[in-house]
Amino acid sequence: MLMWRPCHRSCIPVAHSSSAVAEAAPEQQVVPLYSGKRAVVVGAGPAGSTAAMFLARQGFAVDVHERRPEPKQDAVDTGRAYIIILIPRGQAALQELGVPLPSQREFITKGTVRHNKKGKIGISREEGNVTFSRSSLAQYLIDQARQRYPAQITFHFNSACAGVDIPQRQVSFSVAGGGRVQQQYDLLVGADGAGSQVRQALQQHYPDMQVSIDDSGREYKVYGGVRGDIEPEEFRRDPGATLHLWSSDDPWTTVTAHSNPDGTYSGTFSLKTGGFSDLKTVADYEALLRKKFVGVPDDWLPVIAEQAAASTPSPAGKRVRCSRLDGPGVLLLGDAAHAVTPVFGQGANSALESCKVLGTVLTEAGGDVSQVPQRFTSSRLADMHALNELDAKAYSFFRRRGLLDPDFLQLLSHVLLGTILSKLLPFLYGRQPALLKLGSTTPYSIIIAAVKRDSLMAAVGFAALGVWLSLKLAVKVMAGV
């Protein structure tokens, strides 16, 4: 759970598919409180399309603008497609909207196979999660939005945000052919990624707004189309999606593979940022792969090397922290507001959860659109700051300073003490440490509070033990005098 998982949730290419969906739970009916109001959503990724559906459900007419082509027509997006595994946190938003999820076994996650640097294998089962590629999830949600709200949601592709006039409630877009269009809005939703133009407009409007952006320190290249018999016996008995993680002698260098519905495997080759610049030829790539990894199928290595040498690296995520998520008539969600790295697999899932929070806030505001942005910040900011802190602490596993690293020590003490208390006092403590509940809908603020509480309890316990041992030793010394 605490090891780097760059592609479990966020960075493995996988074949597109939106077929074979299960029966959806009935959509929760709401009174459309915002009829006659217009919302503009910037960004048509999973967060933007999901937010559009929550807005349309409440009566808004919604225009969604995306700077890229539609995913199914975007060769760049398709080529860099990475997987998103929807856990209960992300699934809850789609369930509330009545959006069905795939039911075919090859889309249902079975678990993860870890291959260590010595070739030994470890297996963890993770039933119940659903696998998409990022681009296929984006396209699927676009299709769902069009199908469910054909008269209310309009998508505009190749339409890049060129400026926001917050006082005038106006946003402009650069469109294909060099033109520019302007739109008035009652509510503007910035779901335009870690480099958000909407967020930049908010920063200009609020000079004291604080935004920090940290890089993951990793970059990756993708490969695909390989086949092989790599599944352990436990996963051969029934079909399903699996993830393989190969680690090396340093935490930054990994290879991953994810099973695709067509029987092939796709994956990533990751290095510390800048590492790919030292590799000049296909032979250099293959030599490094053979040096670093044990257990990657031998016939895969030339294929991975050739495909990686022909592509450019992509950054493996950023961490964004904002001091506020709103302004007059404006709010931020998804990576624009709270991007995280892939280490815990929370990026897309936290973004969809933010959309669900938006749906709740729309109801609570009772049709008064002016209340929505500030209410959204009040409802979401603490959890997003908590997630940012958890994500940052997880990087102690890459620094490898061990017990000298306070973040590592805090996480370790929480998991160890939490495991003991969950066995001894499950009726008081719960059945597992809070950090292991990231896949659930437990609020991030509750998880980080538990981490800090347990680490403090462990520190106090060790200090008390130290004092007791010191006193006991002092008594023995005095007795011997």
Side-chain angles (χ1 to χ4, degrees):
M1 177 69 182
L2 300 179
M3 92 182 265
W4 172 263
R5 307 175 68 165
C7 304
H8 190 173
R9 318 254 196 257
S10 328
C11 57
I12 303 175
V14 61
H16 283 255
S17 177
S18 59
S19 60
V21 293
E23 289 280 335
E27 179 182 355
Q28 296 184 20
Q29 297 301 311
V30 299
V31 177
L33 301 171
Y34 299 86
S35 296
K37 301 294 185 181
R38 179 165 297 278
V40 174
V41 178
V42 183
S49 294
T50 303
M53 285 188 276
F54 275 104
L55 291 163
R57 185 175 71 154
Q58 290 274 11
F60 280 96
V62 187
D63 286 279
V64 184
H65 292 261
E66 168 58 50
R67 65 185 180 88
R68 290 186 176 277
E70 191 164 352
K72 63 185 178 183
Q73 299 172 349
D74 187 357
V76 173
D77 192 46
T78 301
R80 291 181 54 202
Y82 48 80
I83 70 159
I84 291 172
I85 297 183
L86 291 184
I87 56 180
R89 189 180 297 277
Q91 292 177 24
L94 302 185
Q95 290 167 353
E96 182 167 323
L97 289 168
V99 173
L101 294 169
S103 60
Q104 283 187 328
R105 283 297 305 172
E106 57 262 37
F107 293 96
I108 308 302
T109 305
K110 288 195 298 184
T112 301
V113 183
R114 294 180 177 84
H115 307 255
N116 71 16
K117 61 184 180 182
K118 296 182 179 180
K120 293 185 178 180
I121 292 177
I123 300 170
S124 61
R125 289 190 172 275
E126 299 172 15
E127 294 282 350
N129 300 328
V130 182
T131 301
F132 283 91
S133 75
R134 191 272 182 192
S135 51
S136 65
L137 176 60
Q139 185 65 60
Y140 179 65
L141 293 174
I142 289 167
D143 294 342
Q144 286 288 313
R146 284 172 170 155
Q147 173 187 327
R148 291 170 179 274
Y149 302 99
Q152 289 175 260
I153 300 178
T154 304
F155 286 90
H156 309 266
F157 294 98
N158 299 299
S159 181
C161 182
V164 181
D165 187 333
I166 291 177
Q168 296 299 317
R169 302 287 203 276
Q170 188 176 79
V171 57
S172 61
F173 297 93
S174 298
V175 297
R180 180 171 289 205
V181 298
Q182 293 183 331
Q183 275 201 291
Q184 295 292 136
Y185 61 80
D186 296 293
L187 181 64
L188 177 64
V189 176
D192 48 338
S196 172
Q197 294 294 310
V198 178
R199 187 185 65 236
Q200 291 179 32
L202 272 182
Q203 289 179 264
Q204 293 174 3
H205 187 77
Y206 293 109
D208 62 342
M209 179 178 174
Q210 297 177 1
V211 177
S212 63
I213 303 176
D214 300 314
D215 190 80
S216 68
R218 286 166 59 91
E219 56 188 8
Y220 69 94
K221 294 190 177 188
V222 301
Y223 70 90
V226 295
R227 295 181 181 271
D229 184 14
I230 64 171
E231 299 302 334
E233 185 62 32
E234 292 88 333
F235 288 168
R236 292 180 183 177
R237 299 167 190 160
D238 60 305
T242 59
L243 172 69
H244 291 256
L245 302 171
W246 283 272
S247 57
S248 68
D249 56 359
D250 76 81
W252 306 96
T253 304
T254 61
V255 165
T256 67
H258 192 279
S259 59
N260 293 324
D262 64 359
T264 65
Y265 288 86
S266 303
T268 61
F269 174 29
S270 300
L271 296 175
K272 192 172 184 177
T273 299
F276 285 111
S277 62
D278 297 328
L279 306 178
K280 308 300 183 184
T281 67
V282 174
D284 291 340
Y285 279 85
E286 186 170 347
L288 182 62
L289 287 164
R290 292 188 182 279
K291 176 183 177 181
K292 288 285 189 178
F293 301 105
V294 176
V296 178
D298 192 68
D299 59 336
W300 286 19
L301 299 177
V303 178
I304 297 173
E306 183 175 2
Q307 293 185 22
S311 63
T312 56
S314 300
K318 295 184 182 296
R319 189 182 305 117
V320 173
R321 185 184 192 275
C322 300
S323 61
R324 63 186 305 151
L325 307 177
D326 73 285
V330 183
L331 64 86
L332 303 172
L333 54 73
D335 284 356
H338 48 78
V340 290
T341 71
V343 65
F344 283 137
Q346 296 297 306
N349 287 286
S350 65
L352 295 187
E353 186 177 59
S354 288
C355 295
K356 185 173 183 292
V357 171
L358 173 59
T360 300
V361 166
L362 290 169
T363 299
E364 292 174 347
D368 184 352
V369 70
S370 67
Q371 293 187 28
V372 172
Q374 194 279 327
R375 281 177 175 265
F376 180 77
T377 288
S378 298
S379 298
R380 197 59 174 153
L381 190 63
D383 276 328
M384 293 304 90
H385 285 179
L387 175 59
N388 183 279
E389 188 174 357
L390 287 167
D391 191 74
K393 288 182 182 298
Y395 270 75
S396 62
F397 292 90
F398 296 87
R399 294 190 292 264
R400 287 192 173 180
R401 298 173 190 160
L403 297 180
L404 298 177
D405 191 314
D407 286 336
F408 176 83
L409 190 59
Q410 192 174 59
L411 293 176
L412 180 65
S413 58
H414 161 69
V415 172
L416 292 178
L417 179 61
T419 299
I420 293 170
L421 293 177
S422 66
K423 300 297 183 185
L424 297 177
L425 303 168
F427 51 92
L428 290 177
Y429 184 85
R431 297 186 177 277
Q432 60 183 167
L435 192 61
L436 305 185
K437 299 177 183 178
L438 280 168
S440 72
T441 57
T442 302
Y444 297 115
S445 53
I446 289 178
I447 293 174
I448 192 65
V451 169
K452 293 177 177 179
R453 179 202 64 211
D454 290 352
S455 63
L456 179 60
M457 288 172 58
V460 170
F462 278 115
L465 178 62
V467 170
W468 179 77
L469 290 174
S470 297
L471 290 174
K472 188 174 182 181
L473 178 61
V475 170
K476 286 186 177 181
V477 171
M478 293 295 292
V481 173

